[in-house]
Amino acid sequence: MDRVVECVPNFSEGRKAEVVARLVEAVESVEGALVLGTHVDPDHNRSVVTFVAPPRSVVEAAVRVVARAAELIDLNAHAGQHPRMGACDVLPFVPVRGVSVEECVALARRAGERIWRELSIPVYFYESAALRPERKNLADVRRGGFELLRTEIGTNPARAPDVGESRVHPTAGACIVGVRPLLIAYNVTLNTRDLSVARRIARAVRERDGGLLHLKALGFELESRGVVQVSMNLTSYERTNLHQAFEAVRREAERLGVEVIASEIVGLVPQAALFAAAAHFLKLENYSPDLVLENRIAAALERKKGE
Amino acid sequence: MDRVVECVPNFSEGRKAEVVARLVEAVESVEGALVLGTHVDPDHNRSVVTFVAPPRSVVEAAVRVVARAAELIDLNAHAGQHPRMGACDVLPFVPVRGVSVEECVALARRAGERIWRELSIPVYFYESAALRPERKNLADVRRGGFELLRTEIGTNPARAPDVGESRVHPTAGACIVGVRPLLIAYNVTLNTRDLSVARRIARAVRERDGGLLHLKALGFELESRGVVQVSMNLTSYERTNLHQAFEAVRREAERLGVEVIASEIVGLVPQAALFAAAAHFLKLENYSPDLVLENRIAAALERKKGE
């Protein structure tokens, strides 16, 4: 696959394994769509399916899985702590390879139109796909969940959907469709129990407080292990990568007299982020993706296909 | 390609570009064989073609390119400093993915049998494919080149080929077929002009003198840049990887009061070697190839194909 879009729909069902299995089936019924993993959270009664597809089939796979969720999930019978307003609650498109943000926005808009037209589920666009600035932030769009939206959608113009009429689907609610960057979730563990240290380091390294661009960070306690963690999201690893985040945390930790014990990737990491980290630490002066055997094989395959 | 053999034939022609182009054609005429690159050396009048293929087609591609070399290259008209005894001089098979050394030895033997039977070129087996201990080392097999072999092959039993009759092919000579490990060529540059420092570090880090296993190292001068280099071959990167080599050189350099300026990969590097280096320096406690997005996509593709 030379052009890849990732799609990470969140569903309001995290207890019935057979429902999740049927959602996966719906995605993979589309030629070219591949499920990379599922995350099922019974506590929040919520699940996430991660799939990739080329641009030409990602909208079809997304619409099919939203349709399947609408068939199988009834929000009126759903309970869970996590805020939600749809059976398929959030539908983010993520540019992964050979696809621009603009293209993903066009795909998200197309998916949104079809979700209303074919399924009668009203649609809100968020983040890079937002049509109103106050809808950039997912949490703002979802405020009050299905129950509040149901009472407000017909009367409060600020809650009118971006696509469709101002009424929720009786069982599937609404769907929030968007485009967000590929992000890497990355935690660094410190040899202290002092949460205030992790919080100070998080503040020192994150963009919001004048640290590294494209880096979000929070301090957390891992009670079971008796240590604390700086938990980070890298929202543009091409600009701020794992090694910059790691080095920034390490420097700050050193200043505070604590040590970095380990780090961990949560979820998936694109290979380019690991290659760049290796090149940095090894001081590789001639690194290019073209040096990697597997990349060279893939390029030769593409070339031969094209002949 | 889930099972990959690399094949790196060396040819006694490094000046006529059209000959090299026709060698590449011969390889790529075989379904599944992919040329990753060519290296043409006019000074040594020698060229190297690097290709990969699944086990089922690598022997066919190898035999075809040896046949093409025998058609196009006449050793009697060949001059160059580098020792050589064949039109296709050396034919190493390298296990890359999902293939054992033993399997590669079987492939090399099959190639050798066909090279004699179909092309009347006598064959010597070297390194892991060697049938006699004194033929493990390529340089020993090739001693004296085509000209000496031609005079000795019929009279000296120590020079009898492993496959075929004891006479050279009149224009294509003989072919040395073997199996060697995938190796990474890796140089580390130091901020000194003192060659003796690079040599001391090389001795300290290499296996031969009690250093790291699977590591060969030499000290070199880069006159044009006014620095010296520790030039290394990693013959088993799964056991001794880039980061261990880099750290060993850095420690030793520090002890001698010099600094590592940079490093470089010569040729190709398998992605696993860079992933492992990144995991080491980032202290990633949960690294597994399964965390890499592209690996997950490849695995999902394989799974779907298998269904």
Side-chain angles (χ1 to χ4, degrees):
Chain A
M1 246 192 273
D2 47 338
R3 305 212 316 134
V4 180
V5 179
E6 190 184 60
C7 188
V8 195
N10 291 225
F11 302 97
S12 296
E13 173 58 65
R15 290 171 192 157
K16 298 182 190 142
E18 71 281 10
V19 170
V20 179
R22 297 209 48 213
L23 296 170
V24 167
E25 263 175 38
V27 170
E28 295 215 323
S29 69
V30 175
E31 169 75 29
L34 295 170
V35 172
L36 301 188
T38 58
H39 180 80
V40 180
D41 181 344
D43 292 332
H44 287 138
N45 197 7
R46 198 172 166 83
S47 55
V48 177
V49 174
T50 301
F51 72 93
V52 290
R56 63 180 155 69
S57 52
V58 72
V59 171
E60 179 62 28
V63 173
R64 277 196 210 175
V65 78
V66 174
R68 183 67 59 90
E71 261 171 53
L72 300 176
I73 299 169
D74 180 354
L75 278 184
N76 302 286
H78 176 267
Q81 286 301 306
H82 200 288
R84 84 285 179 271
M85 65 187 217
C88 175
D89 189 41
V90 192
L91 183 69
F93 291 81
V94 180
V96 166
R97 186 160 67 219
V99 186
S100 67
V101 170
E102 293 67 32
E103 254 180 297
C104 280
V105 169
L107 294 168
R109 294 274 166 72
R110 226 177 330 140
E113 297 289 341
R114 287 186 54 185
I115 289 166
W116 167 250
R117 207 175 55 231
E118 299 172 23
L119 309 171
S120 303
I121 298 171
V123 167
Y124 297 80
F125 291 119
Y126 83 107
E127 223 165 295
S128 298
L131 288 168
R132 307 187 188 185
E134 66 274 20
R135 289 186 181 169
K136 286 249 172 228
N137 184 353
L138 177 61
D140 294 338
V141 180
R142 195 159 53 189
R143 189 176 43 80
F146 175 59
E147 289 72 13
L148 185 63
L149 182 68
R150 186 164 48 182
T151 68
E152 291 193 337
I153 191 169
T155 52
N156 180 351
R159 306 227 54 190
D162 291 312
V163 189
E165 294 169 21
S166 289
R167 51 180 168 80
V168 297
H169 184 287
T171 57
C175 185
I176 314 174
V177 180
V179 174
R180 63 161 175 77
L182 183 64
L183 56 82
I184 303 176
Y186 181 53
N187 300 335
V188 176
T189 309
L190 307 169
N191 71 339
T192 174
R193 289 174 171 275
D194 186 347
L195 178 57
S196 74
V197 168
R199 288 189 170 150
R200 278 179 69 181
I201 295 174
R203 271 195 301 277
V205 301
R206 68 190 172 202
E207 173 170 351
R208 173 148 62 100
D209 293 300
L212 295 173
L213 294 179
H214 316 292
L215 184 69
K216 299 177 180 184
L218 291 171
F220 281 111
E221 215 172 333
L222 296 186
E223 276 184 60
S224 61
R225 292 175 57 185
V227 294
V228 299
Q229 244 180 8
V230 181
S231 176
M232 296 179 279
N233 273 332
L234 283 67
T235 58
S236 178
Y237 71 90
E238 298 93 338
R239 281 168 284 189
T240 299
N241 192 20
L242 296 167
H243 57 276
Q244 283 125 344
F246 177 85
E247 300 263 50
V249 170
R250 180 164 62 181
R251 266 195 307 275
E252 208 51 33
E254 203 174 291
R255 229 173 49 79
L256 299 175
V258 300
E259 263 179 52
V260 166
I261 310 175
S263 74
E264 62 174 347
I265 301 280
V266 182
L268 297 177
V269 60
Q271 61 178 24
L274 293 177
F275 291 157
H280 166 80
F281 290 110
L282 295 170
K283 302 187 184 213
L284 275 177
E285 59 184 353
N286 71 330
Y287 176 72
S288 104
D290 201 41
L291 287 183
V292 178
L293 176 64
E294 288 81 356
N295 291 352
R296 201 70 81 88
I297 293 176
L301 267 172
E302 284 302 314
R303 178 178 47 74
K304 222 180 169 180
K305 255 198 247 163
E307 271 167 14
Chain B
M1 247 192 273
D2 46 338
R3 306 215 313 133
V4 180
V5 180
E6 190 184 59
C7 189
V8 195
N10 291 224
F11 302 97
S12 296
E13 174 57 63
R15 288 170 193 160
K16 298 183 189 140
E18 72 280 11
V19 170
V20 179
R22 296 208 49 212
L23 296 169
V24 168
E25 262 174 39
V27 171
E28 295 216 322
S29 68
V30 175
E31 169 75 29
L34 295 170
V35 171
L36 301 187
T38 58
H39 180 79
V40 180
D41 181 343
D43 293 334
H44 286 137
N45 197 7
R46 199 172 164 81
S47 55
V48 177
V49 173
T50 301
F51 72 91
V52 290
R56 62 179 158 69
S57 52
V58 71
V59 171
E60 178 62 27
V63 173
R64 278 196 209 174
V65 78
V66 174
R68 183 68 57 90
E71 263 172 50
L72 299 176
I73 300 169
D74 180 355
L75 278 185
N76 302 286
H78 177 267
Q81 285 302 306
H82 200 289
R84 84 284 177 269
M85 63 186 219
C88 175
D89 189 42
V90 193
L91 183 69
F93 291 82
V94 180
V96 166
R97 188 160 66 218
V99 185
S100 67
V101 170
E102 294 67 32
E103 255 178 296
C104 280
V105 168
L107 295 168
R109 295 273 165 72
R110 225 174 335 135
E113 297 290 342
R114 287 188 53 187
I115 289 166
W116 168 250
R117 207 174 57 232
E118 299 173 21
L119 308 172
S120 302
I121 299 171
V123 167
Y124 297 80
F125 291 119
Y126 83 107
E127 224 165 292
S128 297
L131 289 168
R132 307 187 188 185
E134 67 273 21
R135 290 186 180 167
K136 287 249 172 227
N137 184 354
L138 177 61
D140 294 339
V141 180
R142 196 160 51 189
R143 191 178 40 81
F146 176 58
E147 288 72 13
L148 184 64
L149 182 68
R150 188 164 46 181
T151 69
E152 291 194 336
I153 192 169
T155 52
N156 181 352
R159 306 226 56 188
D162 292 311
V163 188
E165 295 169 22
S166 288
R167 50 178 167 81
V168 298
H169 184 286
T171 57
C175 185
I176 314 173
V177 180
V179 173
R180 63 163 175 78
L182 183 64
L183 56 83
I184 302 177
Y186 181 53
N187 300 334
V188 175
T189 309
L190 308 168
N191 70 339
T192 173
R193 289 174 172 275
D194 186 347
L195 179 57
S196 74
V197 169
R199 288 189 171 150
R200 279 179 68 182
I201 295 174
R203 271 195 301 276
V205 301
R206 69 191 172 202
E207 173 169 353
R208 174 148 62 101
D209 294 300
L212 295 173
L213 294 178
H214 315 294
L215 184 68
K216 299 176 183 185
L218 291 171
F220 281 111
E221 215 173 332
L222 297 186
E223 276 184 60
S224 62
R225 291 175 58 183
V227 293
V228 298
Q229 247 181 4
V230 180
S231 177
M232 298 179 277
N233 272 333
L234 282 68
T235 57
S236 178
Y237 71 89
E238 298 93 337
R239 279 166 286 187
T240 298
N241 192 20
L242 296 167
H243 57 276
Q244 284 123 343
F246 177 85
E247 300 263 49
V249 170
R250 179 164 62 180
R251 266 194 308 273
E252 208 51 33
E254 203 174 294
R255 229 174 49 80
L256 299 175
V258 300
E259 262 179 53
V260 166
I261 310 175
S263 75
E264 61 173 348
I265 302 280
V266 182
L268 298 177
V269 60
Q271 61 178 23
L274 292 176
F275 291 158
H280 166 79
F281 289 112
L282 294 170
K283 302 188 183 211
L284 274 178
E285 61 183 352
N286 72 328
Y287 176 72
S288 105
D290 201 41
L291 287 183
V292 178
L293 176 64
E294 287 81 356
N295 290 353
R296 200 69 82 87
I297 293 176
L301 267 171
E302 285 301 313
R303 177 177 50 72
K304 223 181 170 181
K305 254 199 248 164
E307 270 168 14

